[in-house]
Amino acid sequence: MAKIFIYPTNSLILSDLVERFGHKPLAMMEKIREKITTVGVDSPPLNITPEDPKLGLKYASVEVPAGVRGRMSIVGPLVDEADAAIIVLDSASAFGCMGCARTNELTKFLARQRDIPRLEVKYPRTDEEGKDFVYQIAEFLKSLPKEEDGE
Amino acid sequence: MSNSDKVTIALVSCGSEYAGIQKELESAASSLNAELVYPEMDVASLDTIGQEFGLEVASPDLRLMMARAKAVVEGAAQVDAVFVATCFRCAEAALVRNEVRRYIFEDSGLPVISYSFTERTTAATLLTRMEALTTIAKSKHLLAREYQEGLTAGIDSGSTTTKAVVMRDNEIIGEGWVPTIKVLESAKKALQQALDQADVKREDLQAIGTTGYGRFLIGDHFNADLMQEEITVNSKGAVYLAKTQQGNATVIDIGGMDNKAISVQDGIPGMFTMGGVCAGASGRFLEMTAKRLNVDITELGDLAIKGMQKNVEMNSYCIVFGIQSLVNSLAKGATPEDVAAAACHSVVEQIFEQQLQEIEVKEPLVLVGGSSLIAGVPKALEELLKIDVVVPPHAQDIGAVGAALLVSGFVDKE
């Protein structure tokens, strides 16, 4: 089982596909769930504590807007943790939820910087493209090692 | 604030919840008996909203902001006021923020303010803005008051000075002015001065209103009938004194610590911006200049009128580096007149750059606050904006006058 970083980070379709092929999706909603169900996070029902934009400094400098750093405090560790990444390009907003454009740019950049297997596919606009989209992702997921190595 | 129904404020933001400040926003709202809501919109509108707005931005969250603004304007979300918030430092957000604010204001008539947040934004910073928003939403009847009735007093506990006025039947009959040292003591002194001048006793007053930084402390002490933030009170006081209660006006209030630029319609504040804590654009800068030139602050204006700001090179608007520029100029032989003119120009230019870009400047432009009495300041503003600037009589007292005027709404008619 490999840990797969997905972009858009909230995509349920990608998350589901990754799970179907026996891997673990690293998705933003998982992290958010963790945050809001952890005792001690003091700004429910929201995602970020005042500390998080500071943690985000690992990924973006202090002159970057607070909202970007706050988002990066969630997304950044997911990229760090990934064994592989699937990036969907030009996706519709509804496909992967919203996002600050700057965060999205930085997220894709960081994923591309990692020396891990990576698949970049275009968001499908027709039935044919849709089939090809799923096929490419399936082939990529099949090519990844099933066995968990190390952690 | 005393009464009643909850004010519903639409939060139109690009993701304040990701900046760690949501709790502060919620806390500021709930302390004012207000509730923040996220306007619902059709997800399909995200694909077209950019074209509709004519502003096709990269960020989906900014598109979401525009779609939410549209939901507010079209009445899909029933709200009383709108708070527009985006990240500080984001250029794209700054563009959208301004356009969204203008769009909501012009097409819905709802009170709207905008704010750019950092991760350090606190409820205290947001409170005055949100208080103004809720007041405008809730108390339009109070703000519609154009005449002062009965015998009332207003006290403005500002950061640098405390002002008090006593008014009777639409006339100022007593004024008090003292530097703010101990907030309560200064307020007592200022009120006493005003009462003495008016030749009335405190117990004769039918109502007292307070405003300014110390409004709650002194309001509690004097058992005030109205404790109100300064955006609402000052804009009312300004248009009252300038006799421009009907129609449009723009009020610029240069205070000791901060300044406000407010777009006013029929005496009711619409869009407004409050300067952050930047002493470079406030009376404090002028005070320091006067000190350096060894003149009284009251003499600085006349000095400035005689000077030429162009003879002094200002490298920065910062109170530290700006003063350094002035000192350097003096060392190079600039005259005190030129330096005074440059200081006035610097304050005005910074207000222009930081605040007037964000509101629509409509004539008449009413300049108020203690700094307006320094003749070089209105002159510099006129030169910069190329329009006439009105400095009404008692311009330094607008807060106190506005409070005395508004609180007369609490005077029972016989």
Side-chain angles (χ1 to χ4, degrees):
Chain A
M1 185 190 70
K3 292 175 184 171
I4 319 288
F5 175 75
I6 56 171
Y7 179 89
T9 51
N10 267 17
S11 166
L12 289 170
I13 300 170
L14 287 180
S15 200
D16 181 56
L17 272 171
V18 169
E19 270 181 358
R20 279 172 194 244
F21 285 88
H23 299 292
K24 182 181 187 303
L26 298 172
M28 195 160 172
M29 49 275 195
E30 287 287 327
K31 279 283 170 197
I32 300 277
R33 183 174 178 276
E34 224 172 83
K35 278 179 110 29
I36 59 172
T37 53
T38 304
V39 179
V41 173
D42 58 358
S43 55
L46 300 155
N47 316 328
I48 292 285
T49 66
E51 285 305 302
D52 288 305
K54 293 180 201 162
L55 300 174
L57 281 170
K58 184 178 171 196
Y59 305 97
S61 70
V62 75
E63 64 251 23
V64 171
V68 176
R69 280 183 280 130
R71 288 171 172 99
M72 285 316 296
S73 69
I74 302 176
V75 179
L78 294 176
V79 178
D80 289 345
E81 206 186 331
D83 302 317
I86 300 172
I87 295 173
V88 174
L89 303 167
D90 307 325
S91 57
S93 302
F95 173 62
C97 201
M98 298 293 126
C100 171
R102 306 301 158 230
T103 309
N104 294 347
E105 286 159 11
L106 183 60
T107 299
K108 282 185 274 187
F109 173 75
L110 290 176
R112 287 169 182 148
Q113 292 295 101
R114 293 276 325 270
D115 186 19
I116 51 175
R118 187 178 79 242
L119 174 72
E120 298 202 17
V121 277
K122 269 192 129 183
Y123 181 74
R125 305 281 167 186
T126 62
D127 278 1
E128 273 312 301
E129 284 176 8
K131 285 174 197 159
D132 188 49
F133 175 81
V134 175
Y135 175 76
Q136 282 190 63
I137 291 171
E139 287 302 304
F140 177 72
L141 291 168
K142 278 185 220 161
S143 74
L144 298 171
K146 287 275 183 201
E147 288 303 309
E148 195 171 350
D149 44 341
E151 282 209 337
Chain B
M1 292 188 59
S2 53
N3 58 24
S4 69
D5 301 341
K6 243 185 187 164
V7 175
T8 308
I9 301 175
L11 180 62
V12 174
S13 134
C14 64
S16 44
E17 64 270 39
Y18 288 101
I21 58 147
Q22 198 63 25
K23 208 176 154 199
E24 303 296 319
L25 282 165
E26 303 276 356
S27 146
S30 72
S31 71
L32 297 164
N33 195 26
E35 184 187 15
L36 295 175
V37 296
Y38 297 87
E40 296 282 340
M41 27 54 71
D42 181 3
V43 73
S45 68
L46 291 171
D47 297 331
T48 52
I49 193 75
Q51 290 132 35
E52 273 180 53
F53 249 78
L55 193 57
E56 295 189 58
V57 291
S59 171
D61 276 339
L62 289 173
R63 294 207 286 274
L64 181 68
M65 248 181 88
M66 291 191 271
R68 283 186 166 150
K70 191 179 162 201
V72 169
V73 165
E74 291 184 344
Q78 291 295 321
V79 295
D80 306 309
V82 187
F83 191 84
V84 179
T86 64
C87 273
F88 178 62
R89 295 196 190 99
C90 175
E92 192 170 49
L95 290 174
V96 176
R97 186 177 69 232
N98 263 351
E99 287 320 306
V100 159
R101 181 171 56 173
R102 198 183 309 277
Y103 166 70
I104 295 173
F105 182 65
E106 284 172 3
D107 291 15
S108 74
L110 289 168
V112 52
I113 57 167
S114 76
Y115 189 73
S116 55
F117 53 79
T118 68
E119 72 277 21
R120 288 177 177 267
T121 295
T122 61
T125 322
L126 298 163
L127 194 65
T128 302
R129 292 165 174 87
M130 238 180 239
E131 195 183 341
L133 199 59
T134 52
T135 306
I136 300 161
K138 209 156 71 170
S139 314
K140 280 201 172 173
H141 62 285
L142 188 65
L143 299 179
R145 171 160 292 268
E146 290 187 5
Y147 300 97
Q148 184 274 344
E149 288 170 287
L151 182 68
T152 63
I155 310 170
D156 177 3
S157 174
S159 61
T160 316
T161 55
T162 302
K163 284 80 62 178
V165 299
V166 173
M167 292 182 78
R168 180 187 278 138
D169 298 333
N170 212 33
E171 246 181 78
I172 298 168
I173 55 169
E175 279 178 277
W177 181 101
V178 295
T180 304
I181 300 164
K182 283 184 180 170
V183 169
L184 201 50
E185 297 304 312
S186 303
K188 283 181 196 168
K189 226 188 257 180
L191 181 63
Q192 198 52 54
Q193 278 181 11
L195 288 168
D196 290 346
Q197 202 183 76
D199 199 21
V200 293
K201 292 198 170 61
R202 195 176 133 190
E203 48 274 27
D204 297 333
L205 294 172
Q206 291 170 283
I208 296 181
T210 63
T211 187
Y213 281 90
R215 62 188 176 277
F216 294 117
L217 182 69
I218 62 170
D220 283 342
H221 175 80
F222 290 111
N223 200 17
D225 305 87
L226 179 78
M227 294 174 237
Q228 192 65 57
E229 43 58 49
E230 48 272 31
I231 301 282
T232 312
V233 174
N234 289 10
S235 49
K236 192 67 197 171
V239 293
Y240 169 80
L241 289 173
K243 298 189 171 34
T244 54
Q245 300 216 48
Q246 293 302 318
N248 293 310
T250 307
V251 175
I252 298 179
D253 177 11
I254 307 176
M257 282 281 263
D258 61 26
N259 44 58
K260 297 127 199 140
I262 315 162
S263 160
V264 184
Q265 277 176 334
D266 296 336
I268 297 173
M271 291 197 279
F272 59 85
T273 59
M274 264 180 92
V277 182
C278 173
S282 71
R284 182 77 63 202
F285 187 82
L286 299 170
E287 252 179 29
M288 285 188 67
T289 308
K291 208 171 169 186
R292 178 62 187 79
L293 295 175
N294 200 24
V295 295
D296 191 79
I297 183 78
T298 54
E299 298 165 42
L300 189 73
D302 291 338
L303 209 59
I305 293 282
K306 293 177 208 149
M308 290 280 288
Q309 58 92 10
K310 282 179 189 154
N311 295 342
V312 171
E313 198 184 328
M314 293 283 289
N315 293 324
S316 169
Y317 300 125
C318 166
I319 192 161
V320 176
F321 297 114
I323 292 288
Q324 208 172 52
S325 297
L326 297 182
V327 171
N328 284 340
S329 300
L330 285 170
K332 284 181 194 162
T335 65
E337 285 82 359
D338 291 345
V339 166
C344 293
H345 192 84
S346 161
V347 167
V348 163
E349 198 156 286
Q350 197 179 349
I351 289 169
F352 174 70
E353 283 184 8
Q354 290 189 347
Q355 295 187 280
L356 292 184
Q357 313 282 337
E358 292 189 30
I359 66 159
E360 217 162 340
V361 177
K362 287 188 176 163
E363 290 189 74
L365 181 72
V366 187
L367 183 66
V368 290
S371 306
S372 65
L373 301 181
I374 298 168
V377 174
K379 181 173 174 257
L381 192 59
E382 278 183 352
E383 281 169 4
L384 196 71
L385 296 177
K386 314 278 183 240
I387 58 175
D388 289 340
V389 171
V390 181
V391 178
H394 311 284
Q396 75 280 22
D397 290 334
I398 35 125
V401 170
L405 169 65
L406 292 176
V407 83
S408 75
F410 292 84
V411 173
D412 287 329
K413 284 184 192 142
E414 289 170 14

